[in-house]
């Protein structure tokens, strides 16, 4: 199919112009209540046609229609030569139907044979912005905040609208607007000072079916309410939250709720005053309940002042220890927001043991689209592969995590990656991760391959010559893993910025992230002979992790402490595996560059160049990891590389 590559701009992400100059002119009609979806449909069709005149064929029609028999936010599309009908359960469903229709066309599909229906797996599909009101974005690699500058709201409304469209086009329907590390300034988002501004922002997102969330400070009763305490059991605190909620909802009646990071990384919380996490979450939840608001209460609670000599405390156990005993003690409108793994967004972790074990509390899985530990949008890293692994992981002998979605898991959330960079996500190929996250939150059964193909088709046009790019993106997680910390052990990054290697960077620090490598062995024993993290899992799952023989090899050093001469399933020793994977990882990146160069004729030149630049940086990073990690272990062990390669 001929697409108009000249109209490509990185800014347009997966909603490129000029993809279908061959389409006829469509008349779009529908009832007044569907006005917004109607306009998006018209604009979308115009976008697909591009500046080219529609090919002279006869007009066709699109009819929009609300069909209340469909599941909430769902849609059904019935194609036809004359008329395509898009039915939506509600205004959101209709909009999603329109975007699904446009996506089919954008990837070269035909409109007359189209027959599609879909509904989201969860009703809350959420992007969390870690934006500070200064304009800096915590763990952001895509420029500055889209919302703030110099401690005030400051944005281009047109750009925010474009952002809302991108998010809606992949099914996102909630967005938190400020960093979970709330500051004295952002705490005021729930006060009269800033609520009029929040309200204006909400109005831009609203037509796209996106409701806002505010990250709040648990200590606000003290800092803003001038109370002596933030004790959730104190009646004055209860009153404070009730009044705060009334005020907030007067300004933003459809606010989705509050997001709370409490008792975490030096932030105040209920534990610091002898109350439980449930006490803390519930007092706020009761205040939001009359307005239909939700409290997203993060489970990222651990001891961040550990001494490395303490071998009893084990950070990955913390979330379970803090929250599992409270299962069933939370108000109905509390959702526990749990990071996908028990550590912290590392390259390869098991799932958090909380998933599947809390049967009486609503949960959200939290991912990171922003690539904090996964290459910072410089290194190519297809996150969908990792997310799919999360949903596929067993929670018991006969149940996988995906089966919890829509049941215990009622929200799917991620820290977003968008900033004010021209291409939104810093690295151009990182757009694929934002796309994939929205689609997966809608339907976690979509495969990483399908999502990658969709994104490539929409972004660069359906073109078989680009098939190697699909393979490259799908391989990228494994490649990154090869040159990073081995076999699930994690960390080994430069402290602070978390990019680049530093094997002992966190080894003697207070954060509880130790690999404990010495001259004979490496790893923390988390089996029943060690810290017994494995006991937090369902017994069947725990037994799989507990044994070196059955533990998935990618997680071997997450759960086991092993000597360097331990034989892996490949027959290689652990140390040789470390050497080999690190040499291979860097070579694989050279391979990425070669592949990318062969794709040049099929790519817009600007896209080719910008990714080429990042791949060059990635290669330098991969080589540095290779050299630093291999040298470290060579010096620790004195064991030579069997292949006699140069280790610096
Ligand atoms: C990580 C990250 C922090 C962030 C924290 C969180 O530790 O490095 O920047 O604040 O996660 O999830 O709250």
């Amino acid at each position: 199919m001929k697409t108009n590559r000249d109209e490509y701009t990185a800014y347009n992400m997966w909603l490129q112009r000029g993809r279908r100059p061959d389409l006829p002119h469509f008349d779009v009609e529908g009832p007044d209540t569907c006005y917004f979806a109607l306009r998006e449909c018209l604009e979308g069709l115009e976008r697909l046609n591009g500046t080219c005149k529609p090919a002279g064929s006869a007009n066709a029609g699109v009819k929009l229609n609300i069909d209340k028999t469909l599941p909430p936010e769902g849609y059904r599309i019935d194609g036809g030569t004359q008329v395509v009908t898009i039915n939506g359960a509600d205004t959101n469903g209709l909009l999603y139907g329109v975007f699904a229709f446009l996506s089919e066309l954008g990837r070269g599909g035909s409109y007359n044979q189209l027959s599609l229906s879909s509904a989201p797996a969860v009703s809350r599909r959420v992007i969390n912005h870690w934006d500070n009101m200064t304009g800096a974005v915590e763990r952001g690699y895509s420029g500055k905040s889209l919302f703030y500058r110099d401690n005030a709201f400051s944005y281009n409304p047109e750009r925010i609208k474009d952002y809302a469209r991108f998010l809606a086009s992949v099914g996102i329907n909630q967005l938190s607007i400020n960093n979970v590390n709330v500051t004295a300034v952002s705490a005021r988002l729930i006060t009269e000072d800033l609520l009029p501004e929040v309200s204006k922002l909400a109005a831009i997102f609203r037509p796209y079916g996106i409701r806002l969330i505010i990250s709040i400070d648990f200590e606000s009763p003290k800092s803003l309410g001038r109370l002596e305490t933030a004790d959730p059991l104190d009646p004055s605190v209860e009153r404070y939250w009730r009044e705060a909620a009334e005020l907030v909802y007067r300004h933003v009646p459809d606010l989705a709720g509050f997001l709370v990071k409490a008792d975490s990384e030096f932030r105040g919380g209920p534990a610091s005053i002898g109350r439980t996490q449930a006490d803390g979450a519930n007092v706020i939840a009761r205040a939001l309940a009359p307005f239909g608001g939700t409290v997203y209460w993060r489970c990222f609670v651990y001891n961040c002042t550990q001494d490395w000599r303490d071998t009893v405390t084990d950070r990955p156990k913390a979330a379970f220890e803090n929250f599992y005993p409270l299962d069933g003690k939370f108000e109905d409108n509390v959702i526990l927001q749990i990071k996908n793994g028990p550590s912290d967004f590392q390259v390869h972790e098991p799932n958090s043991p909380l998933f599947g074990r809390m049967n009486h509390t609503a949960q959200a899985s939290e991912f990171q689209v922003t690539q904090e530990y996964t290459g910072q949008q410089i290194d190519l890293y297809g996150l969908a592969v990792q997310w799919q692994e999360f949903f596929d992981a067993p929670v018991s002998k006969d149940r996988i995590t995906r089966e919890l979605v829509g049941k215990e898991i009622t929200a799917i959330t991620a820290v977003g990656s968008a900033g004010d960079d021209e291409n939104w996500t810093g690295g151009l190929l990182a757009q694929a991760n934002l796309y994939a996250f929205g689609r997966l939150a809608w339907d976690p059964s979509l495969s990483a391959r399908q999502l990658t193909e969709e994104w490539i088709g929409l972004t660069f046009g359906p073109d078989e010559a680009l098939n190697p790019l699909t393979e490259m993106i799908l391989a990228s997680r494994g490649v990154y893993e090869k040159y990073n910390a081995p076999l699930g052990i994690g960390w080994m990054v430069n402290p602070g910025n978390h990019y680049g290697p530093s094997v002992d960077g966190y080894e003697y620090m207070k954060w509880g992230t130790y690999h404990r490598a010495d001259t004979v062995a490496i790893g923390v024993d988390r089996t029943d002979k060690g810290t017994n993290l494995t006991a937090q899992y369902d017994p069947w799952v725990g037994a799989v992790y507990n044994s070196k023989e059955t533990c998935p090899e990618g997680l071997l050093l997450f759960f086991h402490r092993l000597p360097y001469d331990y034989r892996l399933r490949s027959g290689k020793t652990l140390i040789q595996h470390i050497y080999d994977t690190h040499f291979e990882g860097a070579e694989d990146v050279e391979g990425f560059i070669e592949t990318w160069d062969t794709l040049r004729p099929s790519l817009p030149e600007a896209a080719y160049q910008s990714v080429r630049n990042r791949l060059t940086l990635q290669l330098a990073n991969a080589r540095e990891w290779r050299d630093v990690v291999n040298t470290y272990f060579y010096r620790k062990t004195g064991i030579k590389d069997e292949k006699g390669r140069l280790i610096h």
Side-chain angles (χ1 to χ4, degrees):
M1 200 191 66
K2 213 186 129 19
T3 66
N4 196 343
R5 202 159 277 137
D6 296 344
E7 295 198 50
Y8 172 89
T9 75
Y11 181 92
N12 288 338
M13 296 214 275
W14 51 83
L15 299 177
Q16 291 294 327
R17 296 189 67 79
R19 283 281 169 260
R20 292 300 298 271
D22 61 310
L23 288 176
H25 174 79
F26 283 94
D27 294 321
V28 184
E29 57 174 85
D32 287 354
T33 46
C34 306
Y35 170 75
F36 192 77
L38 212 132
R39 221 187 55 196
E40 281 298 316
C41 190
L42 269 171
E43 267 183 41
L45 289 165
E46 203 174 283
R47 187 167 60 235
L48 286 169
N49 264 153
T51 49
C52 311
K53 289 268 171 296
S57 57
N59 285 7
V62 183
K63 240 182 112 183
L64 304 189
N65 181 41
I66 297 281
D67 175 353
K68 293 196 169 131
T69 65
L70 293 169
E73 297 186 287
Y75 61 82
R76 194 186 67 241
I77 307 174
D78 301 316
T81 346
Q82 300 298 318
V83 182
V84 178
T85 314
I86 304 177
N87 302 286
D90 39 43
T91 49
N92 276 17
L94 201 56
L95 205 54
Y96 300 138
V98 164
F99 284 120
F101 173 58
L102 295 170
S103 166
E104 283 294 319
L105 296 181
R107 287 176 289 122
S110 69
Y111 56 93
N112 40 28
Q113 278 142 34
L114 204 56
S115 165
L116 269 183
S117 63
S118 189
V122 284
S123 57
R124 299 172 180 86
R125 305 173 299 277
V126 192
I127 287 285
N128 293 156
H129 273 257
W130 282 1
D131 295 26
N132 293 320
M133 291 194 68
T134 57
V137 180
E138 178 149 345
R139 310 304 177 188
Y141 312 102
S142 313
K144 287 191 173 279
S145 169
L146 288 167
F147 308 132
Y148 315 107
R149 285 295 178 283
D150 306 322
N151 287 321
F153 277 85
S154 168
Y155 55 80
N156 168 356
E158 281 306 311
R159 182 149 191 186
I160 302 299
K161 194 174 142 193
D162 290 341
Y163 183 46
R165 179 180 301 113
F166 285 119
L167 294 183
S169 75
V170 292
I172 297 297
N173 69 354
Q174 295 190 12
L175 177 130
S176 67
I177 59 173
N178 60 309
N179 191 356
V180 288
N181 293 319
V182 177
T183 62
V185 182
S186 64
R188 305 194 75 81
L189 284 166
I190 59 168
T191 67
E192 201 78 70
D193 297 355
L194 293 175
L195 278 166
E197 292 293 332
V198 179
S199 165
K200 281 186 213 155
L201 191 62
I204 305 179
F205 281 101
R206 186 172 295 119
Y208 287 96
I210 298 169
R211 296 162 66 191
L212 302 189
I213 297 168
I214 302 175
S215 298
I216 56 112
D217 181 8
F218 183 81
E219 306 260 280
S220 293
K222 278 159 62 182
S223 57
L224 299 174
R226 294 170 196 278
L227 299 179
E228 306 252 288
T229 175
D231 183 352
L233 300 191
D234 189 297
S236 65
V237 171
E238 176 112 33
R239 193 175 331 113
Y240 168 82
W241 285 115
R242 222 173 30 236
E243 286 169 9
E246 276 162 18
L247 180 68
V248 166
Y249 279 87
R250 212 176 304 140
H251 286 273
V252 190
D254 61 352
L255 191 88
F258 290 166
L259 171 60
V260 196
K261 172 174 178 176
D263 286 316
S264 173
E265 301 188 326
F266 308 105
R267 304 200 59 79
S272 57
I273 36 183
R275 304 302 186 197
T276 70
Q277 299 298 313
D279 294 331
N282 288 346
V283 68
I284 304 175
R286 281 193 295 274
L288 299 191
F291 308 99
T294 298
V295 172
Y296 292 93
W297 189 267
R298 296 180 83 229
C299 295
F300 192 53
V301 178
Y302 68 97
N303 175 359
C304 58
T305 55
Q306 195 179 332
D307 186 298
W308 64 272
R309 279 155 291 228
D310 166 7
T311 54
V312 178
T313 308
D314 187 20
R315 171 166 162 183
K317 292 176 70 181
F320 188 93
E321 285 167 345
N322 283 298
F323 288 91
Y324 178 70
L326 298 172
D327 188 20
K329 302 232 157 62
F330 293 88
E331 297 283 345
D332 288 346
N333 60 331
V334 174
I335 296 181
L336 293 184
Q337 186 161 318
I338 307 164
K339 288 193 184 189
N340 62 294
S343 278
D344 189 2
F345 300 135
Q346 299 300 293
V347 175
H348 202 148
E349 291 185 44
N351 287 5
S352 165
L354 284 168
F355 294 115
R357 303 234 33 220
M358 304 253 297
N359 303 323
H360 307 285
T361 308
Q363 298 144 43
S365 55
E366 183 184 289
F367 302 106
Q368 244 189 358
V369 187
T370 193
Q371 294 172 235
E372 177 178 359
Y373 293 98
T374 56
Q376 308 202 347
Q377 279 113 279
I378 296 169
D379 298 33
L380 175 62
Y381 194 114
L383 280 157
V385 171
Q386 187 170 332
W387 298 331
Q388 208 180 354
E389 195 173 272
F390 169 87
F391 288 114
D392 282 337
V395 289
S396 64
K397 187 165 188 290
D398 42 32
R399 219 170 166 213
I400 59 169
T401 309
R402 195 182 308 118
E403 292 167 68
L404 307 178
V405 175
K407 301 185 182 88
E408 289 95 320
I409 297 181
T410 61
I412 298 181
T413 73
V415 185
S417 58
D420 78 337
D421 267 4
E422 182 58 22
N423 68 17
W424 301 92
T425 57
L428 207 160
L429 296 180
Q431 292 175 354
N433 289 330
L434 185 57
Y435 179 88
F437 171 72
R439 298 279 293 128
L440 267 180
W442 177 279
D443 180 0
S445 73
L446 292 168
S447 73
R449 177 172 296 276
Q450 186 177 341
L451 295 167
T452 306
E453 284 171 354
E454 280 182 13
W455 177 78
I456 293 172
L458 289 169
T459 305
F460 299 125
D463 180 351
E464 274 178 22
L466 291 172
N467 290 352
L469 179 56
T470 306
E471 303 310 322
M472 199 168 127
I473 293 176
L474 290 175
S476 60
R477 189 289 189 103
V479 169
Y480 189 88
E481 190 172 3
K482 280 188 197 171
Y483 59 80
N484 265 255
L487 299 176
I489 203 158
W491 310 100
M492 299 192 176
V493 288
N494 281 311
N497 76 351
H498 297 170
Y499 189 78
S502 175
V503 179
D504 279 342
Y506 275 115
E507 195 55 17
Y508 304 99
M509 302 252 270
K510 61 193 173 191
W511 303 97
T513 53
Y514 314 115
H515 55 69
R516 301 195 184 278
D518 61 20
T519 59
V520 287
I522 177 172
V524 175
D525 183 352
R526 299 197 161 104
T527 70
D528 53 6
K529 308 217 167 40
T531 69
N532 213 11
L533 167 70
T534 51
Q536 293 184 344
Y537 290 87
D538 157 272
W540 184 86
V541 176
V544 169
Y545 293 145
N546 205 62
S547 143
K548 291 193 279 285
E549 277 68 47
T550 53
C551 180
E553 203 152 73
L555 294 173
L556 204 53
L557 288 179
F558 185 93
F559 285 108
H560 298 272
R561 178 170 180 80
L562 297 170
Y564 296 105
D565 59 2
Y566 179 81
R567 293 261 164 212
L568 300 176
R569 275 157 231 169
S570 60
K572 281 182 194 174
T573 59
L574 173 59
I575 187 75
Q576 193 58 40
H577 172 88
I578 293 176
Y579 294 150
D580 285 353
T581 48
H582 284 78
F583 281 111
E584 275 168 35
E587 280 164 25
D588 290 349
V589 178
E590 288 170 20
F592 282 170
I593 293 177
E594 280 165 30
T595 304
W596 187 249
D597 285 347
T598 66
L599 301 178
R600 188 170 185 174
S602 306
L603 291 164
E605 185 58 18
Y608 165 77
Q609 285 298 348
S610 95
V611 173
R612 185 65 162 77
N613 292 342
R614 300 241 160 184
L615 288 171
T616 308
L617 296 173
Q618 178 174 3
L619 182 58
N621 187 39
R623 286 177 173 160
E624 190 186 348
W625 271 93
R626 173 196 67 193
D627 294 340
V628 170
V629 170
N630 283 347
T631 306
Y632 178 95
F633 288 104
Y634 176 51
R635 290 201 57 186
K636 250 295 143 144
T637 64
I639 304 172
K640 292 201 171 109
D641 171 34
E642 280 170 5
K643 297 178 188 154
R645 288 162 292 195
L646 178 69
I647 289 177
H648 292 270

